[in-house]
Structures are given as C-alpha cells and as structure tokens.
Amino acid sequence: MSRRAEARPAKVAVLGAGSWGTTFGKILADGGSDVVMWARRAELASEIHTGKRNSKYLPGINLPRSMSATAQLEEAIDGVDQIFLSIPSQSLRENLKVLRPMLVGSEIPLVSLMKGVEKRSGLRMSQVIEQELACDPARIAVASGPNLALEIAQEQPTAAVISSIDADTAAAVARLARNRYFRTFVNSDVVGTEFGGVLKNLIAVAIGIVDGVGYGENTKASIITRGLVEMTDFAVAQGAQPETLQGLAGLGDLIATCQSPLSRNNTAGRLLGQGYSFQDVVSQMQQTAEGLASVAPVLQLARASGVEMPIVEQVKRVLDGTMNPREIAPHLTTDDDTPKGERTQYGQAGGGGALWRSIQRALDQLRNGGGGPRSDRP
C-alpha cells in the first residue's frame, strides 16, 4: 500500500441529522474523518452541506468543512469505512430495511448512537441492527456516555464508551470517535452499555417530573440513587456486568441526563410534572424523548426477569394518567414498612460505599485515562 493511501482520511457516514447525529458527525470530522451526513429532508441536507449549519437542531454551531450531507441514502454510504446510525429507535427497523440491499457483501462496522428499546419487540438497538441486516454481531458497536449534544457541539470536553463483542471493532471505532475535546474508552459489555443508555432516560423522566412538581434536591438525589439501583438490577438480570452501570454508560450518563435542562427526557418529565398530558408533551417536543417510548418494553422485560423497578413503574403510571405527579417519590418504592437493604440485588457492598466508588470511577474516567478499569481503557 502506498504512503498516500495509508494517509487517506477515513470516510464515514452518519445516518440521521438530528442534534446527536449531527454532533457525532462533528466529533468524527474534528477527529480527522471525512463525514457524510444523511438527512431525510433535502432542505436540511442542503443546509448542512452548503451552509455548514444545522440551525434547527444545533443553533449557533458552525460545522467543519469536512462534513458534507445528502438526502440520498445510497450516496451517503458509498465507499465509507464505517456507518454510524442515529435514527429514532422506533423507526430504526424500517430504515434498515431500505439500507439492507445496499450493504450486501459489506463487512464495515455499524455503530449505534441510539439509546432506546424497540417497543414492539423489546430488542436493544444492536439486536435490531443484527436482525434486520442479518450481519455478524462482531461488526456492530454501540456508543454511550454522558453526551448532551449541544455541550459537545460547543466543544466542551467529555468522554464516552464504545462497546462491541469484538475488541478490534471497538478499537477501530474508538480511534475515529475521539479528538481534543472528546475521549473514548472501550469495553465488551454491549448489553450493559446499551441498557445504561436506555435506563437512565427513564430515571431522567422521573427527575423531570419531580422538578416540574417543584420538589427539591433531596427528592432528586434520592431518586437518582435508587434509580441507579434499579438500573443495575435490571441490566445484570439481562446479562450485563454490574461495573458497566457504574461507569460512563451508566452513572455518568445518569448524572448528565438527570441534572441538565438540555436533556429531552428531563424536559418531557418536567412538562408531565407541570400537569401536561402525555399527548401534550409529545406534541410540544420538537425532538424524540426516547425514554417515553422505552418505559413499557423495559417494564415488560423487568417483570419477565423478576426484577422490581418501582420508580419506573411510577413513571408509567404518570404517563398513563393514573398517578398524580406529586406522588412520585422514592418513599413510595417499597410495599410495606419493613426495613429494606440499600444495596442492589447484585451489589458487593452497602449502597453508600458502592455509590461513592461509582462516582469516583466516573470522575476518574473523565479526568484522565489512567483511572478507569481496564475494560474501559482506550
């Protein structure tokens, strides 16, 4: 291979030009890749391609010159080295049906940027990709972490984790998805990484609800802490490693999503807490709040696994209109007055110590590469 060919920038496609898809395209472009965005609407593709802006989803952000865009799916993926998928979870399958014949014989990595569960099947996004594209799961990676799109588009430093059952796939994706303000770690726990991104959305809706009602920091801190217990119990029951929920894809994402007004799920919950109906919230939201669609399938999986998720159950009741938002609170998460242990079902220590170690691990990963566990190192 020639020296010039070796130096060729990677060419990648990002399918989906909402706030997160466009932001991730910027991450990849700022890391040195040539990025082609696919937007369903031709006018949005034109604005990104010509004006280097996405004024609807990322107002005020200038996009790199190495980002182009098209409304033609086949044109977007032509000759690319990796494909990143940032499509609303409930419409992913129908988009993959269109994509499948274009990828026959391809071995390129497919990366899920989505944090949802398919409502009809209860499948994670990587499972939908594997099923619909009939591809080797070793080609699939997922990205997750405390990643609020606008902050990253403003180049505020953060970290994420790239997960794949194949170490080479995870490393290949991580090498492209990093730059001076965005750091990537890797692990092999796809189940835990994906469910961390899904479950934190449900807890963020609960936090939004109590925020909309007007409750303060004690209530929110209690729900975040007990929410992490629910997240860990659920994910481990599905085959995840508990330490994954204590890292960037679990606790890190939970903190960011619960405390930020930039979070769509937090915003949706806040509107519910202020008395808006579920349909009113959906109509007011300009972007998809994945947590709203994931509540029912997650609870179905939890019941099938024998896992109790009282906070998520309360969120569902608020969504269904059968519970006053003012009643959502951690003191309602037990059935009787019998003292209950704080630790998770799968924890190794009391909840306070486990939570502190989780926070320390997440902060260490954000500060530098040396503090995280081996499985999370870049």
Side-chain angles (χ1 to χ4, degrees):
M1 182 179 293
S2 70
R3 188 179 300 274
R4 182 176 179 180
E6 290 179 340
R8 177 184 71 84
K11 183 180 180 182
V12 299
V14 179
L15 309 186
S19 59
W20 183 224
T22 307
T23 296
F24 214 90
K26 184 179 186 302
I27 290 168
L28 294 163
D30 286 341
S33 297
D34 289 333
V35 179
V36 183
M37 302 293 304
W38 173 73
R40 181 179 295 277
R41 294 185 293 111
E43 60 271 24
L44 177 55
S46 177
E47 183 187 23
I48 294 172
H49 186 77
T50 305
K52 305 304 178 188
R53 289 291 188 105
N54 186 335
S55 55
K56 179 178 180 180
Y57 295 114
L58 293 176
I61 300 298
N62 293 317
L63 301 175
R65 289 184 174 275
S66 54
M67 282 180 70
S68 60
T70 178
Q72 304 302 316
L73 185 57
E74 194 161 11
E75 180 183 345
I77 66 169
D78 182 39
V80 298
D81 301 301
Q82 296 179 13
I83 295 176
F84 293 77
L85 296 155
S86 184
I87 297 166
S89 60
Q90 304 311 313
S91 60
L92 174 63
R93 189 179 292 274
E94 63 188 69
N95 283 277
L96 292 177
K97 290 181 186 297
V98 178
L99 183 64
R100 180 172 178 172
M102 303 176 191
L103 294 178
V104 173
S106 172
E107 296 296 328
I108 64 174
L110 302 160
V111 188
S112 170
L113 304 178
M114 300 159 289
K115 298 178 179 180
V117 173
E118 190 175 48
K119 195 169 184 178
R120 177 177 59 83
S121 66
L123 294 178
R124 293 174 282 112
M125 295 296 97
S126 68
Q127 293 175 304
V128 175
I129 294 168
E130 178 186 352
Q131 186 181 88
E132 202 57 49
L133 297 183
C135 66
D136 183 348
R139 287 173 53 198
I140 301 171
V142 301
S144 195
N147 302 147
L148 297 164
L150 184 58
E151 289 186 0
I152 299 175
Q154 293 169 339
E155 302 185 7
Q156 298 182 29
T158 190
V161 61
I162 306 295
S163 181
S164 175
I165 63 169
D166 185 89
D168 291 338
T169 297
V173 174
R175 278 193 290 269
L176 297 188
R178 60 186 300 172
N179 57 46
R180 61 183 174 79
Y181 58 86
F182 193 83
R183 179 69 179 274
T184 48
F185 297 79
V186 297
N187 73 37
S188 59
D189 183 11
V190 175
V191 175
T193 300
E194 280 194 286
F195 272 130
V198 172
L199 298 169
K200 59 86 187 182
N201 284 336
L202 313 189
I203 307 304
V205 173
I207 292 296
I209 291 171
V210 301
D211 203 26
V213 165
Y215 293 150
E217 302 308 316
N218 290 334
T219 305
K220 287 184 277 189
S222 299
I223 290 177
I224 289 173
T225 307
R226 297 308 302 166
L228 181 60
V229 171
E230 291 189 22
M231 289 170 58
T232 303
D233 284 349
F234 175 93
V236 171
Q238 303 302 318
Q241 298 299 313
E243 57 266 26
T244 304
L245 278 295
Q246 299 169 6
L248 291 166
L251 179 64
D253 203 2
L254 178 66
I255 293 171
T257 307
C258 285
Q259 63 87 36
S260 174
L262 295 175
S263 162
R264 286 169 278 178
N265 294 283
N266 184 289
T267 299
R270 192 162 58 251
L271 291 171
L272 290 165
Q274 291 170 352
Y276 290 92
S277 69
F278 173 73
Q279 291 303 324
D280 289 338
V281 171
V282 171
S283 65
Q284 286 200 40
M285 298 288 291
Q286 291 188 356
Q287 299 184 63
T288 303
E290 295 283 12
L292 300 182
S294 298
V295 170
V298 163
L299 284 175
Q300 288 177 350
L301 290 170
R303 291 162 187 158
S305 303
V307 175
E308 295 181 357
M309 302 190 78
I311 293 174
V312 180
E313 292 276 6
Q314 291 178 39
V315 170
K316 185 178 188 304
R317 290 173 60 193
V318 172
L319 290 173
D320 292 344
T322 61
M323 180 177 185
N324 187 319
R326 294 191 64 83
E327 295 178 358
I328 188 169
H331 71 273
L332 298 179
T333 62
T334 53
D335 295 329
D336 54 45
D337 292 332
T338 303
K340 186 176 181 180
E342 186 182 20
R343 63 185 286 175
T344 73
Q345 183 178 346
Y346 301 95
Q348 299 301 312
L355 181 62
W356 174 245
R357 285 192 297 276
S358 299
I359 292 172
Q360 284 295 107
R361 183 178 292 106
L363 290 176
D364 285 344
Q365 288 176 342
L366 286 166
R367 289 191 190 107
N368 58 72
R374 292 184 62 86
S375 61
D376 274 352
R377 289 188 180 174

